[in-house]
mmCIF file of all heavy atoms in Angstrom:
data_model
loop_
_atom_site.group_PDB
_atom_site.id
_atom_site.type_symbol
_atom_site.label_atom_id
_atom_site.label_comp_id
_atom_site.label_asym_id
_atom_site.label_seq_id
_atom_site.Cartn_x
_atom_site.Cartn_y
_atom_site.Cartn_z
ATOM 1 N N MET Z 1330 9.732 8.404 -13.948
ATOM 2 C CA MET Z 1330 8.903 8.831 -12.826
ATOM 3 C C MET Z 1330 7.993 7.693 -12.390
ATOM 4 O O MET Z 1330 7.661 6.809 -13.164
ATOM 5 C CB MET Z 1330 8.043 10.033 -13.219
ATOM 6 C CG MET Z 1330 8.859 11.260 -13.611
ATOM 7 S SD MET Z 1330 9.809 11.915 -12.228
ATOM 8 C CE MET Z 1330 8.480 12.631 -11.248
ATOM 9 N N ASN Z 1331 7.558 7.743 -11.159
ATOM 10 C CA ASN Z 1331 6.672 6.709 -10.647
ATOM 11 C C ASN Z 1331 5.217 7.095 -10.893
ATOM 12 O O ASN Z 1331 4.495 7.509 -10.002
ATOM 13 C CB ASN Z 1331 6.914 6.516 -9.134
ATOM 14 C CG ASN Z 1331 8.328 6.046 -8.854
ATOM 15 O OD1 ASN Z 1331 8.878 5.279 -9.621
ATOM 16 N ND2 ASN Z 1331 8.896 6.504 -7.764
ATOM 17 N N THR Z 1332 4.816 6.956 -12.116
ATOM 18 C CA THR Z 1332 3.487 7.427 -12.489
ATOM 19 C C THR Z 1332 2.368 6.642 -11.829
ATOM 20 O O THR Z 1332 1.305 7.174 -11.582
ATOM 21 C CB THR Z 1332 3.295 7.373 -14.010
ATOM 22 O OG1 THR Z 1332 3.595 6.069 -14.471
ATOM 23 C CG2 THR Z 1332 4.205 8.375 -14.689
ATOM 24 N N ASN Z 1333 2.608 5.358 -11.592
ATOM 25 C CA ASN Z 1333 1.556 4.560 -10.964
ATOM 26 C C ASN Z 1333 2.072 3.841 -9.735
ATOM 27 O O ASN Z 1333 1.544 2.828 -9.317
ATOM 28 C CB ASN Z 1333 0.939 3.575 -11.954
ATOM 29 C CG ASN Z 1333 1.954 2.588 -12.476
ATOM 30 O OD1 ASN Z 1333 3.119 2.673 -12.130
ATOM 31 N ND2 ASN Z 1333 1.515 1.653 -13.288
ATOM 32 N N ALA Z 1334 3.114 4.359 -9.154
ATOM 33 C CA ALA Z 1334 3.685 3.730 -7.972
ATOM 34 C C ALA Z 1334 3.122 4.373 -6.711
ATOM 35 O O ALA Z 1334 2.823 5.557 -6.697
ATOM 36 C CB ALA Z 1334 5.197 3.853 -7.970
ATOM 37 N N ASN Z 1335 3.005 3.545 -5.696
ATOM 38 C CA ASN Z 1335 2.559 4.044 -4.415
ATOM 39 C C ASN Z 1335 3.748 4.214 -3.485
ATOM 40 O O ASN Z 1335 4.679 3.432 -3.514
ATOM 41 C CB ASN Z 1335 1.577 3.059 -3.781
ATOM 42 C CG ASN Z 1335 0.272 3.040 -4.537
ATOM 43 O OD1 ASN Z 1335 -0.522 3.962 -4.437
ATOM 44 N ND2 ASN Z 1335 0.054 2.003 -5.306
ATOM 45 N N THR Z 1336 3.684 5.221 -2.689
ATOM 46 C CA THR Z 1336 4.709 5.439 -1.680
ATOM 47 C C THR Z 1336 4.202 4.916 -0.354
ATOM 48 O O THR Z 1336 3.101 5.274 0.070
ATOM 49 C CB THR Z 1336 5.014 6.937 -1.537
ATOM 50 O OG1 THR Z 1336 5.470 7.424 -2.790
ATOM 51 C CG2 THR Z 1336 6.071 7.174 -0.483
ATOM 52 N N ILE Z 1337 4.991 4.052 0.264
ATOM 53 C CA ILE Z 1337 4.620 3.555 1.580
ATOM 54 C C ILE Z 1337 4.813 4.670 2.593
ATOM 55 O O ILE Z 1337 5.918 5.186 2.759
ATOM 56 C CB ILE Z 1337 5.466 2.327 1.974
ATOM 57 C CG1 ILE Z 1337 5.310 1.216 0.926
ATOM 58 C CG2 ILE Z 1337 5.065 1.847 3.358
ATOM 59 C CD1 ILE Z 1337 3.900 0.700 0.783
ATOM 60 N N VAL Z 1338 3.733 5.050 3.229
ATOM 61 C CA VAL Z 1338 3.790 6.139 4.186
ATOM 62 C C VAL Z 1338 4.189 5.626 5.561
ATOM 63 O O VAL Z 1338 5.063 6.173 6.220
ATOM 64 C CB VAL Z 1338 2.441 6.861 4.268
ATOM 65 C CG1 VAL Z 1338 2.479 7.959 5.324
ATOM 66 C CG2 VAL Z 1338 2.083 7.447 2.900
ATOM 67 N N SER Z 1339 3.520 4.541 5.980
ATOM 68 C CA SER Z 1339 3.842 3.989 7.289
ATOM 69 C C SER Z 1339 3.383 2.552 7.391
ATOM 70 O O SER Z 1339 2.499 2.110 6.653
ATOM 71 C CB SER Z 1339 3.205 4.819 8.401
ATOM 72 O OG SER Z 1339 1.804 4.812 8.280
ATOM 73 N N LEU Z 1340 3.991 1.834 8.295
ATOM 74 C CA LEU Z 1340 3.657 0.443 8.556
ATOM 75 C C LEU Z 1340 3.351 0.293 10.039
ATOM 76 O O LEU Z 1340 4.086 0.800 10.880
ATOM 77 C CB LEU Z 1340 4.833 -0.474 8.185
ATOM 78 C CG LEU Z 1340 5.313 -0.434 6.732
ATOM 79 C CD1 LEU Z 1340 6.621 -1.207 6.600
ATOM 80 C CD2 LEU Z 1340 4.264 -1.022 5.808
ATOM 81 N N HIS Z 1341 2.259 -0.401 10.323
ATOM 82 C CA HIS Z 1341 1.901 -0.631 11.716
ATOM 83 C C HIS Z 1341 1.616 -2.107 11.918
ATOM 84 O O HIS Z 1341 0.715 -2.653 11.287
ATOM 85 C CB HIS Z 1341 0.656 0.172 12.099
ATOM 86 C CG HIS Z 1341 0.821 1.648 11.895
ATOM 87 N ND1 HIS Z 1341 1.500 2.458 12.780
ATOM 88 C CD2 HIS Z 1341 0.418 2.457 10.886
ATOM 89 C CE1 HIS Z 1341 1.491 3.702 12.326
ATOM 90 N NE2 HIS Z 1341 0.844 3.737 11.178
ATOM 91 N N THR Z 1342 2.382 -2.734 12.765
ATOM 92 C CA THR Z 1342 2.154 -4.143 13.054
ATOM 93 C C THR Z 1342 1.025 -4.287 14.061
ATOM 94 O O THR Z 1342 1.036 -3.656 15.116
ATOM 95 C CB THR Z 1342 3.433 -4.789 13.613
ATOM 96 O OG1 THR Z 1342 4.478 -4.617 12.667
ATOM 97 C CG2 THR Z 1342 3.223 -6.267 13.855
ATOM 98 N N THR Z 1343 0.041 -5.101 13.698
ATOM 99 C CA THR Z 1343 -1.075 -5.356 14.591
ATOM 100 C C THR Z 1343 -1.187 -6.860 14.813
ATOM 101 O O THR Z 1343 -0.445 -7.644 14.222
ATOM 102 C CB THR Z 1343 -2.397 -4.844 13.994
ATOM 103 O OG1 THR Z 1343 -2.781 -5.701 12.909
ATOM 104 C CG2 THR Z 1343 -2.253 -3.432 13.470
ATOM 105 N N SER Z 1344 -2.134 -7.245 15.623
ATOM 106 C CA SER Z 1344 -2.321 -8.667 15.906
ATOM 107 C C SER Z 1344 -2.799 -9.422 14.673
ATOM 108 O O SER Z 1344 -2.642 -10.630 14.573
ATOM 109 C CB SER Z 1344 -3.322 -8.845 17.053
ATOM 110 O OG SER Z 1344 -4.571 -8.275 16.706
ATOM 111 N N GLU Z 1345 -3.375 -8.738 13.737
ATOM 112 C CA GLU Z 1345 -3.909 -9.380 12.538
ATOM 113 C C GLU Z 1345 -2.946 -9.339 11.364
ATOM 114 O O GLU Z 1345 -3.134 -10.020 10.364
ATOM 115 C CB GLU Z 1345 -5.220 -8.712 12.132
ATOM 116 C CG GLU Z 1345 -6.315 -8.910 13.167
ATOM 117 C CD GLU Z 1345 -7.624 -8.296 12.698
ATOM 118 O OE1 GLU Z 1345 -7.838 -8.177 11.482
ATOM 119 O OE2 GLU Z 1345 -8.425 -7.934 13.556
ATOM 120 N N GLY Z 1346 -1.932 -8.533 11.480
ATOM 121 C CA GLY Z 1346 -0.987 -8.404 10.370
ATOM 122 C C GLY Z 1346 -0.380 -7.023 10.380
ATOM 123 O O GLY Z 1346 -0.317 -6.363 11.410
ATOM 124 N N VAL Z 1347 0.036 -6.605 9.209
ATOM 125 C CA VAL Z 1347 0.663 -5.299 9.105
ATOM 126 C C VAL Z 1347 -0.261 -4.364 8.339
ATOM 127 O O VAL Z 1347 -0.689 -4.659 7.220
ATOM 128 C CB VAL Z 1347 2.020 -5.391 8.377
ATOM 129 C CG1 VAL Z 1347 2.669 -4.019 8.263
ATOM 130 C CG2 VAL Z 1347 2.946 -6.369 9.105
ATOM 131 N N VAL Z 1348 -0.570 -3.266 8.949
ATOM 132 C CA VAL Z 1348 -1.372 -2.247 8.289
ATOM 133 C C VAL Z 1348 -0.435 -1.312 7.545
ATOM 134 O O VAL Z 1348 0.463 -0.723 8.136
ATOM 135 C CB VAL Z 1348 -2.219 -1.464 9.305
ATOM 136 C CG1 VAL Z 1348 -2.970 -0.329 8.613
ATOM 137 C CG2 VAL Z 1348 -3.199 -2.406 10.008
ATOM 138 N N VAL Z 1349 -0.644 -1.234 6.241
ATOM 139 C CA VAL Z 1349 0.216 -0.403 5.404
ATOM 140 C C VAL Z 1349 -0.583 0.803 4.918
ATOM 141 O O VAL Z 1349 -1.647 0.656 4.313
ATOM 142 C CB VAL Z 1349 0.720 -1.198 4.181
ATOM 143 C CG1 VAL Z 1349 1.624 -0.315 3.309
ATOM 144 C CG2 VAL Z 1349 1.466 -2.455 4.620
ATOM 145 N N TRP Z 1350 -0.055 1.944 5.193
ATOM 146 C CA TRP Z 1350 -0.625 3.163 4.616
ATOM 147 C C TRP Z 1350 0.239 3.579 3.443
ATOM 148 O O TRP Z 1350 1.459 3.662 3.558
ATOM 149 C CB TRP Z 1350 -0.654 4.289 5.661
ATOM 150 C CG TRP Z 1350 -1.760 4.153 6.649
ATOM 151 C CD1 TRP Z 1350 -1.695 3.548 7.869
ATOM 152 C CD2 TRP Z 1350 -3.108 4.619 6.511
ATOM 153 N NE1 TRP Z 1350 -2.917 3.611 8.489
ATOM 154 C CE2 TRP Z 1350 -3.802 4.267 7.685
ATOM 155 C CE3 TRP Z 1350 -3.794 5.296 5.488
ATOM 156 C CZ2 TRP Z 1350 -5.153 4.580 7.878
ATOM 157 C CZ3 TRP Z 1350 -5.133 5.607 5.685
ATOM 158 C CH2 TRP Z 1350 -5.791 5.253 6.865
ATOM 159 N N SER Z 1351 -0.385 3.788 2.319
ATOM 160 C CA SER Z 1351 0.372 4.202 1.145
ATOM 161 C C SER Z 1351 -0.264 5.432 0.519
ATOM 162 O O SER Z 1351 -1.458 5.691 0.671
ATOM 163 C CB SER Z 1351 0.414 3.066 0.118
ATOM 164 O OG SER Z 1351 -0.856 2.859 -0.458
ATOM 165 N N ARG Z 1352 0.565 6.163 -0.190
ATOM 166 C CA ARG Z 1352 0.068 7.332 -0.887
ATOM 167 C C ARG Z 1352 0.295 7.129 -2.376
ATOM 168 O O ARG Z 1352 1.400 6.902 -2.829
ATOM 169 C CB ARG Z 1352 0.792 8.599 -0.422
ATOM 170 C CG ARG Z 1352 0.165 9.866 -0.972
ATOM 171 C CD ARG Z 1352 1.056 11.069 -0.730
ATOM 172 N NE ARG Z 1352 1.453 11.212 0.666
ATOM 173 C CZ ARG Z 1352 0.703 11.803 1.588
ATOM 174 N NH1 ARG Z 1352 -0.480 12.281 1.283
ATOM 175 N NH2 ARG Z 1352 1.137 11.913 2.811
ATOM 176 N N CYS Z 1353 -0.776 7.231 -3.111
ATOM 177 C CA CYS Z 1353 -0.699 7.092 -4.555
ATOM 178 C C CYS Z 1353 -0.044 8.327 -5.160
ATOM 179 O O CYS Z 1353 0.069 9.372 -4.518
ATOM 180 C CB CYS Z 1353 -2.111 6.908 -5.107
ATOM 181 S SG CYS Z 1353 -2.171 6.732 -6.900
ATOM 182 N N SER Z 1354 0.336 8.187 -6.420
ATOM 183 C CA SER Z 1354 0.934 9.334 -7.116
ATOM 184 C C SER Z 1354 -0.056 10.486 -7.253
ATOM 185 O O SER Z 1354 0.332 11.632 -7.467
ATOM 186 C CB SER Z 1354 1.435 8.898 -8.489
ATOM 187 O OG SER Z 1354 0.386 8.311 -9.229
ATOM 188 N N CYS Z 1355 -1.355 10.169 -7.133
ATOM 189 C CA CYS Z 1355 -2.369 11.224 -7.207
ATOM 190 C C CYS Z 1355 -2.579 11.891 -5.852
ATOM 191 O O CYS Z 1355 -3.324 12.838 -5.741
ATOM 192 C CB CYS Z 1355 -3.685 10.661 -7.737
ATOM 193 S SG CYS Z 1355 -4.557 9.579 -6.581
ATOM 194 N N GLY Z 1356 -1.927 11.339 -4.836
ATOM 195 C CA GLY Z 1356 -2.024 11.938 -3.516
ATOM 196 C C GLY Z 1356 -3.024 11.262 -2.608
ATOM 197 O O GLY Z 1356 -3.162 11.626 -1.449
ATOM 198 N N ARG Z 1357 -3.726 10.246 -3.126
ATOM 199 C CA ARG Z 1357 -4.752 9.570 -2.358
ATOM 200 C C ARG Z 1357 -4.106 8.606 -1.367
ATOM 201 O O ARG Z 1357 -3.236 7.820 -1.719
ATOM 202 C CB ARG Z 1357 -5.649 8.791 -3.307
ATOM 203 C CG ARG Z 1357 -6.867 8.176 -2.661
ATOM 204 C CD ARG Z 1357 -7.557 7.312 -3.705
ATOM 205 N NE ARG Z 1357 -8.802 6.758 -3.204
ATOM 206 C CZ ARG Z 1357 -10.006 7.193 -3.551
ATOM 207 N NH1 ARG Z 1357 -10.120 8.174 -4.412
ATOM 208 N NH2 ARG Z 1357 -11.079 6.650 -3.051
ATOM 209 N N LEU Z 1358 -4.563 8.662 -0.112
ATOM 210 C CA LEU Z 1358 -4.071 7.737 0.893
ATOM 211 C C LEU Z 1358 -4.913 6.474 0.895
ATOM 212 O O LEU Z 1358 -6.131 6.516 0.759
ATOM 213 C CB LEU Z 1358 -4.136 8.375 2.279
ATOM 214 C CG LEU Z 1358 -2.968 9.273 2.669
ATOM 215 C CD1 LEU Z 1358 -3.276 9.951 3.996
ATOM 216 C CD2 LEU Z 1358 -1.684 8.482 2.775
ATOM 217 N N GLN Z 1359 -4.235 5.358 1.029
ATOM 218 C CA GLN Z 1359 -4.940 4.085 1.095
ATOM 219 C C GLN Z 1359 -4.384 3.252 2.236
ATOM 220 O O GLN Z 1359 -3.218 3.333 2.563
ATOM 221 C CB GLN Z 1359 -4.738 3.301 -0.198
ATOM 222 C CG GLN Z 1359 -5.374 3.940 -1.394
ATOM 223 C CD GLN Z 1359 -5.127 3.103 -2.644
ATOM 224 O OE1 GLN Z 1359 -5.935 2.295 -3.046
ATOM 225 N NE2 GLN Z 1359 -3.970 3.313 -3.238
ATOM 226 N N MET Z 1360 -5.245 2.413 2.805
ATOM 227 C CA MET Z 1360 -4.814 1.513 3.855
ATOM 228 C C MET Z 1360 -5.023 0.090 3.392
ATOM 229 O O MET Z 1360 -6.076 -0.248 2.851
ATOM 230 C CB MET Z 1360 -5.622 1.753 5.129
ATOM 231 C CG MET Z 1360 -5.105 0.945 6.301
ATOM 232 S SD MET Z 1360 -6.340 0.712 7.586
ATOM 233 C CE MET Z 1360 -7.338 -0.553 6.822
ATOM 234 N N VAL Z 1361 -4.011 -0.733 3.574
ATOM 235 C CA VAL Z 1361 -4.104 -2.139 3.228
ATOM 236 C C VAL Z 1361 -3.636 -2.959 4.412
ATOM 237 O O VAL Z 1361 -2.618 -2.646 5.019
ATOM 238 C CB VAL Z 1361 -3.234 -2.470 1.994
ATOM 239 C CG1 VAL Z 1361 -3.258 -3.969 1.701
ATOM 240 C CG2 VAL Z 1361 -3.717 -1.688 0.784
ATOM 241 N N LEU Z 1362 -4.395 -4.000 4.728
ATOM 242 C CA LEU Z 1362 -3.966 -4.912 5.781
ATOM 243 C C LEU Z 1362 -3.292 -6.110 5.143
ATOM 244 O O LEU Z 1362 -3.896 -6.836 4.354
ATOM 245 C CB LEU Z 1362 -5.172 -5.366 6.608
ATOM 246 C CG LEU Z 1362 -4.857 -6.434 7.654
ATOM 247 C CD1 LEU Z 1362 -3.876 -5.904 8.695
ATOM 248 C CD2 LEU Z 1362 -6.126 -6.911 8.322
ATOM 249 N N VAL Z 1363 -2.022 -6.277 5.457
ATOM 250 C CA VAL Z 1363 -1.269 -7.425 4.961
ATOM 251 C C VAL Z 1363 -1.269 -8.482 6.051
ATOM 252 O O VAL Z 1363 -0.704 -8.259 7.121
ATOM 253 C CB VAL Z 1363 0.184 -7.025 4.624
ATOM 254 C CG1 VAL Z 1363 0.957 -8.230 4.077
ATOM 255 C CG2 VAL Z 1363 0.188 -5.885 3.611
ATOM 256 N N PRO Z 1364 -1.927 -9.612 5.802
ATOM 257 C CA PRO Z 1364 -2.043 -10.629 6.843
ATOM 258 C C PRO Z 1364 -0.686 -11.136 7.323
ATOM 259 O O PRO Z 1364 0.283 -11.168 6.551
ATOM 260 C CB PRO Z 1364 -2.818 -11.758 6.142
ATOM 261 C CG PRO Z 1364 -3.550 -11.089 5.035
ATOM 262 C CD PRO Z 1364 -2.644 -9.970 4.586
ATOM 263 N N SER Z 1365 -0.634 -11.551 8.557
ATOM 264 C CA SER Z 1365 0.597 -12.106 9.115
ATOM 265 C C SER Z 1365 1.056 -13.294 8.288
ATOM 266 O O SER Z 1365 0.252 -14.123 7.868
ATOM 267 C CB SER Z 1365 0.361 -12.564 10.557
ATOM 268 O OG SER Z 1365 0.000 -11.474 11.356
ATOM 269 N N GLY Z 1366 2.345 -13.371 8.048
ATOM 270 C CA GLY Z 1366 2.896 -14.464 7.261
ATOM 271 C C GLY Z 1366 3.278 -14.028 5.861
ATOM 272 O O GLY Z 1366 4.116 -14.644 5.216
ATOM 273 N N PHE Z 1367 2.681 -12.951 5.420
ATOM 274 C CA PHE Z 1367 3.057 -12.384 4.128
ATOM 275 C C PHE Z 1367 4.233 -11.453 4.364
ATOM 276 O O PHE Z 1367 4.177 -10.588 5.224
ATOM 277 C CB PHE Z 1367 1.872 -11.623 3.539
ATOM 278 C CG PHE Z 1367 2.100 -11.160 2.121
ATOM 279 C CD1 PHE Z 1367 1.913 -12.034 1.065
ATOM 280 C CD2 PHE Z 1367 2.494 -9.860 1.859
ATOM 281 C CE1 PHE Z 1367 2.112 -11.611 -0.235
ATOM 282 C CE2 PHE Z 1367 2.695 -9.430 0.563
ATOM 283 C CZ PHE Z 1367 2.506 -10.315 -0.487
ATOM 284 N N ASP Z 1368 5.312 -11.658 3.606
ATOM 285 C CA ASP Z 1368 6.517 -10.906 3.941
ATOM 286 C C ASP Z 1368 6.491 -9.453 3.464
ATOM 287 O O ASP Z 1368 7.292 -8.640 3.854
ATOM 288 C CB ASP Z 1368 7.771 -11.617 3.449
ATOM 289 C CG ASP Z 1368 7.882 -11.639 1.924
ATOM 290 O OD1 ASP Z 1368 7.083 -10.974 1.252
ATOM 291 O OD2 ASP Z 1368 8.774 -12.338 1.419
ATOM 292 N N GLY Z 1369 5.566 -9.161 2.586
ATOM 293 C CA GLY Z 1369 5.379 -7.771 2.195
ATOM 294 C C GLY Z 1369 6.341 -7.281 1.129
ATOM 295 O O GLY Z 1369 6.202 -6.177 0.640
ATOM 296 N N LYS Z 1370 7.313 -8.125 0.776
ATOM 297 C CA LYS Z 1370 8.298 -7.665 -0.199
ATOM 298 C C LYS Z 1370 7.673 -7.440 -1.580
ATOM 299 O O LYS Z 1370 8.000 -6.499 -2.268
ATOM 300 C CB LYS Z 1370 9.455 -8.670 -0.303
ATOM 301 C CG LYS Z 1370 10.318 -8.668 0.949
ATOM 302 C CD LYS Z 1370 11.480 -9.647 0.813
ATOM 303 C CE LYS Z 1370 12.344 -9.621 2.072
ATOM 304 N NZ LYS Z 1370 13.434 -10.612 1.996
ATOM 305 N N GLY Z 1371 6.774 -8.349 -1.958
ATOM 306 C CA GLY Z 1371 6.099 -8.197 -3.237
ATOM 307 C C GLY Z 1371 5.252 -6.946 -3.263
ATOM 308 O O GLY Z 1371 5.150 -6.261 -4.271
ATOM 309 N N LEU Z 1372 4.689 -6.660 -2.103
ATOM 310 C CA LEU Z 1372 3.864 -5.472 -1.990
ATOM 311 C C LEU Z 1372 4.696 -4.213 -2.228
ATOM 312 O O LEU Z 1372 4.307 -3.332 -2.983
ATOM 313 C CB LEU Z 1372 3.256 -5.445 -0.580
ATOM 314 C CG LEU Z 1372 2.294 -4.305 -0.285
ATOM 315 C CD1 LEU Z 1372 1.009 -4.500 -1.064
ATOM 316 C CD2 LEU Z 1372 1.993 -4.238 1.196
ATOM 317 N N ALA Z 1373 5.843 -4.179 -1.587
ATOM 318 C CA ALA Z 1373 6.689 -2.993 -1.691
ATOM 319 C C ALA Z 1373 7.321 -2.875 -3.075
ATOM 320 O O ALA Z 1373 7.463 -1.796 -3.613
ATOM 321 C CB ALA Z 1373 7.780 -3.031 -0.617
ATOM 322 N N ALA Z 1374 7.682 -4.032 -3.633
ATOM 323 C CA ALA Z 1374 8.399 -4.008 -4.902
ATOM 324 C C ALA Z 1374 7.471 -3.738 -6.081
ATOM 325 O O ALA Z 1374 7.741 -2.898 -6.930
ATOM 326 C CB ALA Z 1374 9.136 -5.325 -5.107
ATOM 327 N N GLY Z 1375 6.377 -4.490 -6.114
ATOM 328 C CA GLY Z 1375 5.503 -4.378 -7.270
ATOM 329 C C GLY Z 1375 4.355 -3.414 -7.067
ATOM 330 O O GLY Z 1375 3.954 -2.717 -7.986
ATOM 331 N N GLY Z 1376 3.873 -3.388 -5.848
ATOM 332 C CA GLY Z 1376 2.785 -2.485 -5.534
ATOM 333 C C GLY Z 1376 1.454 -2.870 -6.148
ATOM 334 O O GLY Z 1376 0.497 -2.116 -6.060
ATOM 335 N N HIS Z 1377 1.382 -4.060 -6.763
ATOM 336 C CA HIS Z 1377 0.147 -4.425 -7.447
ATOM 337 C C HIS Z 1377 -0.966 -4.784 -6.482
ATOM 338 O O HIS Z 1377 -2.112 -4.903 -6.870
ATOM 339 C CB HIS Z 1377 0.398 -5.570 -8.430
ATOM 340 C CG HIS Z 1377 0.908 -6.799 -7.765
ATOM 341 N ND1 HIS Z 1377 2.249 -7.021 -7.593
ATOM 342 C CD2 HIS Z 1377 0.256 -7.853 -7.241
ATOM 343 C CE1 HIS Z 1377 2.397 -8.194 -6.983
ATOM 344 N NE2 HIS Z 1377 1.215 -8.714 -6.749
ATOM 345 N N ASP Z 1378 -0.615 -4.971 -5.234
ATOM 346 C CA ASP Z 1378 -1.638 -5.274 -4.244
ATOM 347 C C ASP Z 1378 -2.276 -4.003 -3.685
ATOM 348 O O ASP Z 1378 -3.243 -4.047 -2.956
ATOM 349 C CB ASP Z 1378 -1.060 -6.100 -3.099
ATOM 350 C CG ASP Z 1378 -0.792 -7.526 -3.535
ATOM 351 O OD1 ASP Z 1378 -1.589 -8.072 -4.305
ATOM 352 O OD2 ASP Z 1378 0.236 -8.062 -3.106
ATOM 353 N N ILE Z 1379 -1.680 -2.894 -4.016
ATOM 354 C CA ILE Z 1379 -2.291 -1.624 -3.620
ATOM 355 C C ILE Z 1379 -2.637 -0.877 -4.902
ATOM 356 O O ILE Z 1379 -1.778 -0.329 -5.567
ATOM 357 C CB ILE Z 1379 -1.328 -0.772 -2.766
ATOM 358 C CG1 ILE Z 1379 -0.883 -1.563 -1.551
ATOM 359 C CG2 ILE Z 1379 -2.021 0.517 -2.356
ATOM 360 C CD1 ILE Z 1379 0.136 -0.818 -0.696
ATOM 361 N N GLN Z 1380 -3.891 -0.901 -5.241
ATOM 362 C CA GLN Z 1380 -4.311 -0.236 -6.463
ATOM 363 C C GLN Z 1380 -5.260 0.900 -6.103
ATOM 364 O O GLN Z 1380 -6.173 0.750 -5.319
ATOM 365 C CB GLN Z 1380 -5.037 -1.229 -7.362
ATOM 366 C CG GLN Z 1380 -4.111 -2.322 -7.853
ATOM 367 C CD GLN Z 1380 -3.948 -2.290 -9.358
ATOM 368 O OE1 GLN Z 1380 -4.795 -1.789 -10.061
ATOM 369 N NE2 GLN Z 1380 -2.860 -2.814 -9.839
ATOM 370 N N CYS Z 1381 -5.018 2.006 -6.706
ATOM 371 C CA CYS Z 1381 -5.856 3.161 -6.464
ATOM 372 C C CYS Z 1381 -7.081 3.103 -7.378
ATOM 373 O O CYS Z 1381 -6.936 3.080 -8.592
ATOM 374 C CB CYS Z 1381 -5.060 4.431 -6.729
ATOM 375 S SG CYS Z 1381 -6.029 5.931 -6.557
ATOM 376 N N PRO Z 1382 -8.282 3.059 -6.781
ATOM 377 C CA PRO Z 1382 -9.483 3.022 -7.603
ATOM 378 C C PRO Z 1382 -9.691 4.309 -8.377
ATOM 379 O O PRO Z 1382 -10.441 4.364 -9.352
ATOM 380 C CB PRO Z 1382 -10.594 2.786 -6.589
ATOM 381 C CG PRO Z 1382 -10.044 3.307 -5.307
ATOM 382 C CD PRO Z 1382 -8.559 3.050 -5.358
ATOM 383 N N HIS Z 1383 -9.033 5.333 -7.929
ATOM 384 C CA HIS Z 1383 -9.144 6.624 -8.601
ATOM 385 C C HIS Z 1383 -8.331 6.625 -9.899
ATOM 386 O O HIS Z 1383 -8.787 7.052 -10.943
ATOM 387 C CB HIS Z 1383 -8.656 7.721 -7.670
ATOM 388 C CG HIS Z 1383 -8.711 9.088 -8.282
ATOM 389 N ND1 HIS Z 1383 -9.907 9.733 -8.551
ATOM 390 C CD2 HIS Z 1383 -7.724 9.917 -8.687
ATOM 391 C CE1 HIS Z 1383 -9.632 10.905 -9.091
ATOM 392 N NE2 HIS Z 1383 -8.329 11.042 -9.192
ATOM 393 N N CYS Z 1384 -7.104 6.110 -9.814
ATOM 394 C CA CYS Z 1384 -6.213 6.115 -10.950
ATOM 395 C C CYS Z 1384 -6.339 4.852 -11.791
ATOM 396 O O CYS Z 1384 -5.997 4.851 -12.965
ATOM 397 C CB CYS Z 1384 -4.754 6.226 -10.498
ATOM 398 S SG CYS Z 1384 -4.364 7.790 -9.730
ATOM 399 N N GLY Z 1385 -6.794 3.743 -11.164
ATOM 400 C CA GLY Z 1385 -6.710 2.454 -11.807
ATOM 401 C C GLY Z 1385 -5.264 2.025 -11.869
ATOM 402 O O GLY Z 1385 -4.446 2.518 -11.097
ATOM 403 N N SER Z 1386 -4.948 1.144 -12.771
ATOM 404 C CA SER Z 1386 -3.562 0.693 -12.891
ATOM 405 C C SER Z 1386 -2.910 1.437 -14.035
ATOM 406 O O SER Z 1386 -1.783 1.612 -14.172
ATOM 407 C CB SER Z 1386 -3.509 -0.804 -13.127
ATOM 408 O OG SER Z 1386 -4.185 -1.104 -14.318
HETATM 409 ZN ZN1 ZN Q 1224 -4.280 7.402 -7.475
#
């Protein structure tokens, strides 16, 4: 099970980068701005850049 994995809810490309909305396994929604130039693959694969302060790691 994905006990500490985040689910990417949506991606929005903006002038500053990509806004990623994710949902933690606890149900908490988080928003992260991924600056332009970052391919986001590490974000999606590892998810370590989106950490829930509620759950910790
Ligand atoms: Zn959480």
Side-chain angles (χ1 to χ4, degrees):
M1330 298 295 288
N1331 298 324
T1332 54
N1333 62 358
N1335 290 286
T1336 300
I1337 303 298
V1338 177
S1339 61
L1340 301 170
H1341 302 281
T1342 302
T1343 72
S1344 60
E1345 295 183 26
V1347 180
V1348 176
V1349 180
W1350 283 93
S1351 70
R1352 189 191 307 276
C1353 180
S1354 56
C1355 71
R1357 187 186 184 105
L1358 276 173
Q1359 293 180 96
M1360 186 202 77
V1361 176
L1362 174 63
V1363 181
S1365 298
F1367 188 82
D1368 68 9
K1370 290 181 179 177
L1372 183 70
H1377 60 270
D1378 287 322
I1379 303 177
Q1380 294 244 336
C1381 176
H1383 179 69
C1384 294
S1386 60

